[in-house]
Structures are given as structure tokens and as C-alpha cells.
Amino acid sequence: MIMIVKNVMTQPDDCFRLPGATSQVVGEYRIDLLVPEGPAPEGGWPSVWLLDGAGCFGTCVEAMRRMSRRSDATAVVPLVIVGISAADGDRARRQRVFTSPMADRPEAGGAEAFLRFLLEEVRPQVAARAPLDEGRTTLWGHSLAGYFTLWVLATHPRSFRNYAAISPSTWWDRPVLEAGLARAPGDRRALVCIGEWEDALPPWQASAPDAASALARRQARQMVAGARDIAALLTGVLGEEHAQFRLLPEEDHASVLSAAVPRMLRMASGA
């Protein structure tokens, strides 16, 4: 007999939808919220804000719960986890909301509106459900959302304390990132992670029929070099204690997420 039970490990304490009234660019979003058990610490909970939350909320919740049981060994404390996902699962919307304007991309450029949505609509809704420590907030983004994460640090750095850019799409309007990040305040913290195989092919893909075209696409965007360059810039601005670069071995653009979560949780916890 097979019995199916609810997965209590990843079940959010609350979820709700926000219409994205800030701009037509934003649209409707589902917000998943996990609040740790027990009373909040003095000053409120530290919090992690996951862009594209539908793809990483459960992974982050399980990692936080397991690691925070032994904070002395893992340096991870209980945190509020917020997942922000397009309510209709529309991934094409990502290029509209996670990018700065570019003259030749009229369908893009909604980053300002999306940041206002996060700060003016999502954050008050979450704060009404759990006391937050505004000095311990971490923004997480992957790929184009990783570009957005760096863009927020470059243009509105006081929005969050910590920034985790995972496999960031640094090829999108790189000059905007570099100019803004060069002026980032020194009390911010940043983590940049990239997979070893994001410019190359893993062994099992090397003999696939489309291997040559897949390799050409990866090499054209130079994800590893771009991430390394941005991390080096951040290290020069923030210092080695506040800027981390991690080249994660044997990971690609998809698998890097799970490997990056524990590193982000340590930063979000203050380690």
C-alpha cells in the first residue's frame, strides 16, 4: 500500500497573492512564507527573499531547518524565508521584470517597477505576518534574477543588507552593473556563485547530438568569466570579508542552485 502525506518540511506557514499594482509590468505574484517556530529574536527575524521562489523555496526551507538545528556547527540560524513567484508560472515575464532598460529590448526594463513592488507591497505584507530585522535582509536571485540582485546592489544598495547572485546574467547591460557596483557602500555583503560547467559541457553532455551548439551558446555568454570579474570588482569595493566568490565544482546553470543555498544561508545568518 502507498500512502501519500503532506510534506510538512516545506509547507509554508502562509501564502498569498499580490496583484502587482505598482505597474502593469509586474503582474500577479504568489508569495510563499515560512516563519521559524518559537518567538522571534530581539529586533526581529533575519529574512531571505527568494526571487523565482517556486524553483527554490522548498530547497531553501529544508536546508535552513536542518542546518539551524546545529547553529554552532553550521553557522546558520533560523530565518524567515520568502518566495516570490509569478502566480501563473509565466517565466517569460522574467525578462521584463528583472532587467534594466536597453534601447534594443523594448520588451524589457521593468527592474525599477519590480523593486518598488518588492519594497512597497511585498515587504509590508510579510512584515505584518512576522517581525523582521530590517538590518538582516538577504536578496537571492539566479540567472536573470541574479542580474537583478546585482542591479539592486548597484542602484539601490540600501534596499537589502546582503545580496546573493547565483549564476548572474552579467552579459545584460554590464556597464550599468560595473558603474553602480563601484560605488556600493562598504557595509553591504555580497555572494557570487557560478557552476564550473556553465562555460563548458559536463562529460555526459559532450557526446549529445546538439553538443556543439550547446557549447557555443555557453561560451558566447562567458558566464564564469563575467561572474568572476564582478566578484573581483565587489571585493575591491566591499573588501574580502564582505564579498565572496564561489566557483562550485561539477555544477551547471541548473544544479548550482542547491549547492549555493547553504553558502547563502551562512551569509544571511551573519557568518
Side-chain angles (χ1 to χ4, degrees), residues 102-160:
M102 293 183 70
D104 60 343
R105 301 287 184 94
E107 76 283 2
E112 286 280 358
F114 190 75
L115 180 59
R116 290 199 305 274
F117 172 63
L118 285 182
L119 300 181
E120 298 172 10
E121 299 184 46
V122 182
R123 186 173 286 181
Q125 291 278 354
V126 172
R129 292 164 166 81
L132 300 178
D133 182 345
E134 293 298 333
R136 293 194 292 169
T137 55
T138 299
L139 181 64
W140 155 288
H142 170 251
S143 196
L144 270 179
Y147 169 86
F148 176 82
T149 298
L150 292 172
W151 176 87
V152 176
L153 176 56
T155 59
H156 303 276
R158 300 295 179 187
S159 301
F160 297 85

Side-chain angles (χ1 to χ4, degrees), residues 153 162-164 188-192 234 238 242-245 267:
L153 176 56
N162 308 313
Y163 294 84
R188 304 297 95 169
R189 301 177 72 189
L191 168 67
V192 179
L234 285 169
L238 305 180
H242 285 186
Q244 304 174 53
F245 173 72
M267 179 178 69

Side-chain angles (χ1 to χ4, degrees), residues 3-212:
M3 179 180 295
I4 300 175
V5 298
K6 182 175 72 173
N7 184 352
V8 295
M9 284 293 293
T10 58
Q11 185 72 11
D13 294 335
D14 198 2
C15 66
F16 50 94
R17 292 189 179 216
L18 290 178
T22 304
S23 168
Q24 291 181 349
V25 173
V26 173
E28 186 178 30
Y29 274 78
R30 171 187 166 119
I31 312 300
D32 289 307
L33 175 64
L34 191 287
V35 181
E37 297 179 356
E42 184 177 355
W45 294 107
S47 57
V48 172
W49 301 72
L50 303 171
L51 304 174
D52 295 324
C56 55
F57 181 81
T59 299
C60 190
V61 167
E62 292 195 20
M64 183 276 290
R65 282 178 162 165
R66 179 173 293 277
M67 296 177 75
S68 64
R69 293 174 191 159
R70 285 290 312 277
S71 294
D72 60 322
T74 66
V76 172
V77 302
L79 305 108
V80 165
I81 299 176
V82 187
I84 303 108
S85 314
D88 57 4
D90 177 17
R91 291 188 59 81
R93 191 188 309 179
R94 302 172 74 252
Q95 191 167 107
R96 298 198 301 273
V97 301
F98 292 149
T99 55
S100 55
M102 293 183 70
D104 60 343
R105 301 287 184 94
E107 76 283 2
E112 286 280 358
F114 190 75
L115 180 59
R116 290 199 305 274
F117 172 63
L118 285 182
L119 300 181
E120 298 172 10
E121 299 184 46
V122 182
R123 186 173 286 181
Q125 291 278 354
V126 172
R129 292 164 166 81
L132 300 178
D133 182 345
E134 293 298 333
R136 293 194 292 169
T137 55
T138 299
L139 181 64
W140 155 288
H142 170 251
S143 196
L144 270 179
Y147 169 86
F148 176 82
T149 298
L150 292 172
W151 176 87
V152 176
L153 176 56
T155 59
H156 303 276
R158 300 295 179 187
S159 301
F160 297 85
R161 182 61 181 271
N162 308 313
Y163 294 84
I166 314 305
S167 301
S169 298
T170 57
W171 46 266
W172 185 282
D173 209 353
R174 174 94 165 254
V176 166
L177 287 185
E178 292 180 341
L181 293 175
R183 301 187 300 271
D187 63 344
R188 304 297 95 169
R189 301 177 72 189
L191 168 67
V192 179
C193 293
I194 194 81
E196 174 190 3
W197 287 329
E198 296 205 43
D199 284 355
L201 295 180
W204 53 85
Q205 195 176 2
S207 59
D210 64 342

